[in-house]
């Protein structure tokens, strides 16, 4: 079965044999040579695989704002400011309290998460994406958790907690981790994702929403299990702590695998539900 990463670089044909790579759009220019050895060591200490790290100039096409962000592990975006926040907090490292990044960098429980499907200009979700977004929101509302999700479509993004919008590219998406008890706000879905159908598009959006709530890739310990290549995204016990009640090995049915198939059903796997219901 063909596997795909969560976004596509501009030279798509070079990646068809192994899948799509993440978070590349015409608005993001890799600047890996600007990353110092000190920063690489800091991300390693936080529990991330730095083998594919890039520092990109990320321009949000909706707000027009630009910022430097680190891109890691295919589809994770971490702003420089959040990286500094992580370094200054004990909960992101192994310590005496035994708390790690994945289980603590979550959104505050017992709240409503307001989701917006963006409909403005060239960044508007197409019809397939709009249906898939509704199905993805339904996935989360079907869980027995202390979060409720609402969905609206429009362009007034200020009042929303997650904004899902379209950018050019072959297929996949990108998002980031929560900060300050709030979910990561911006979810990019590449325009070519719709060509794989509504269920696969639902899968991609559900996956990216999972990152916004603090989930890591299920197969972070060996990306080759779902992607066909790649290694460990982060060291055990730092930034990717095991969630009780879920497998420690490969879970082929997880929506949070690092790479996805062209024929996904868009639904949570059993242990995805167990994990989210444990965390929230």
């Amino acid at each position: 079965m063909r596997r795909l990463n969560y976004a596509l670089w501009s030279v798509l044909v070079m990646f068809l044999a192994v899948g799509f790579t993440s978070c590349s759009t015409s608005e993001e220019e890799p600047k890996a040579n600007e990353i110092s050895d000190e920063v690489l060591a800091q991300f390693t200490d936080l529990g991330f695989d730095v083998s594919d790290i890039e520092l990109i100039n990320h321009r949000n096409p909706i707000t027009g704002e630009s910022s430097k962000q680190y891109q890691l592990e295919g589809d994770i975006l971490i702003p420089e400011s959040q990286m500094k926040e992580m370094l200054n907090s004990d909960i992101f490292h192994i310590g005496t309290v035994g708390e790690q990044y994945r289980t603590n960098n979550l959104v505050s429980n017992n709240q409503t998460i307001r989701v917006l499907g963006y409909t403005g200009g060239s960044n508007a979700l197409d019809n397939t994406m709009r249906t898939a977004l509704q199905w993805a929101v339904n996935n989360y509302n079907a869980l027995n958790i202390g979060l409720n999700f609402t969905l609206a479509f429009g362009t007034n993004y200020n009042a929303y907690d997650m904004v899902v919008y379209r950018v050019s590219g072959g297929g996949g998406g990108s998002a980031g981790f929560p900060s300050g008890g709030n979910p990561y706000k911006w979810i990019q879905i590449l325009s070519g994702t719709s060509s794989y159908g509504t269920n696969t598009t639902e899968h991609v959006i559900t996956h990216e929403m999972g990152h916004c709530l603090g989930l890591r890739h299920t197969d972070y310990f060996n990306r080759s299990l779902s992607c066909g290549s790649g290694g460990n995204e982060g060291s055990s016990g730092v930034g990717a702590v095991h969630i009780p009640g879920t497998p420690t090995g490969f879970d082929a049915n997880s929506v949070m695998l690092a790479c996805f198939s062209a024929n996904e059903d868009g639904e949570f796997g059993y242990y995805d539900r167990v994990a989210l219901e444990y965390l929230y």
Side-chain angles (χ1 to χ4, degrees):
M1 178 180 292
R2 188 153 57 103
R3 306 299 301 183
L4 305 105
N5 290 347
Y6 277 83
L8 181 67
W9 292 103
S10 57
V11 283
L12 168 63
V13 67
M14 295 175 59
F15 293 89
L16 287 179
V18 295
F20 291 171
T21 58
S22 296
C23 300
S24 175
T25 76
S26 59
E27 299 158 340
E28 301 172 356
E29 300 176 0
K31 295 189 176 181
N33 60 349
E34 294 185 3
I35 303 177
S36 67
D37 290 340
E38 179 183 8
V39 170
L40 293 175
Q42 289 169 335
F43 268 115
T44 300
D45 182 49
L46 289 169
F48 291 96
D49 173 21
V50 297
S51 61
D52 63 349
I53 189 173
E54 293 177 305
L55 180 60
I56 61 175
N57 285 324
H58 175 75
R59 179 182 178 275
N60 188 313
I62 297 176
T63 65
E65 297 175 345
S66 296
S67 64
K68 286 189 175 181
Q69 299 195 22
Y70 295 99
Q71 174 188 309
L72 306 98
E73 301 176 8
D75 63 335
I76 300 299
L77 298 175
I78 298 179
E80 284 186 309
S81 59
Q82 187 178 11
M83 187 259 202
K84 294 175 182 177
E85 173 188 327
M86 292 160 66
L87 289 169
N88 291 328
S89 174
D90 290 338
I91 68 173
F92 296 110
H93 306 264
I94 293 177
T96 57
V97 295
E99 297 174 337
Q100 288 87 32
Y101 168 56
R102 184 182 175 186
T103 55
N104 288 275
N105 204 35
L106 303 173
V107 305
S108 300
N109 211 341
N110 298 315
Q111 67 168 299
T112 295
I113 305 295
R114 297 160 296 179
V115 182
L116 179 73
Y118 194 73
T119 59
S122 61
N123 298 112
L125 299 180
D126 61 32
N127 289 334
T128 296
M129 293 175 182
R130 295 185 193 191
T131 300
L133 176 56
Q134 178 66 74
W135 292 358
V137 168
N138 292 346
N139 286 340
Y140 283 94
N141 280 330
L143 298 171
N144 183 24
I145 61 178
L147 300 173
N148 179 58
F149 294 78
T150 64
L151 175 62
F153 293 93
T155 59
N156 183 17
Y157 54 84
N158 290 317
Y160 291 87
D161 303 300
M162 292 183 188
V163 179
V164 185
Y165 64 99
R166 179 170 58 99
V167 295
S168 62
S174 63
F177 291 132
S179 180
N182 299 313
Y184 189 85
K185 182 165 183 170
W186 303 101
I187 299 176
Q188 296 184 342
I189 303 299
L190 276 69
S191 57
T193 308
S194 295
S195 66
Y196 297 101
T198 309
N199 284 324
T200 297
T201 305
E202 174 194 6
H203 175 102
V204 171
I205 296 175
T206 301
H207 176 106
E208 300 304 341
M209 289 177 67
H211 284 318
C212 293
L213 297 178
L215 294 182
R216 288 285 300 270
H217 290 144
T218 305
D219 57 343
Y220 81 93
F221 56 90
N222 186 357
R223 287 175 61 90
S224 67
L225 292 171
S226 67
C227 301
S229 63
N232 194 320
E233 293 180 354
S235 59
S236 176
V238 186
V241 73
H242 173 246
I243 298 175
T246 65
T248 56
F250 182 56
D251 178 10
N253 296 313
S254 175
V255 77
M256 293 306 299
L257 291 172
C259 292
F260 64 97
S261 155
N263 300 294
E264 301 286 358
D265 63 12
E267 306 305 315
F268 284 125
Y270 172 78
Y271 290 110
D272 294 325
R273 294 190 291 273
V274 170
L276 284 161
E277 290 176 357
Y278 176 86
L279 293 175
Y280 293 107

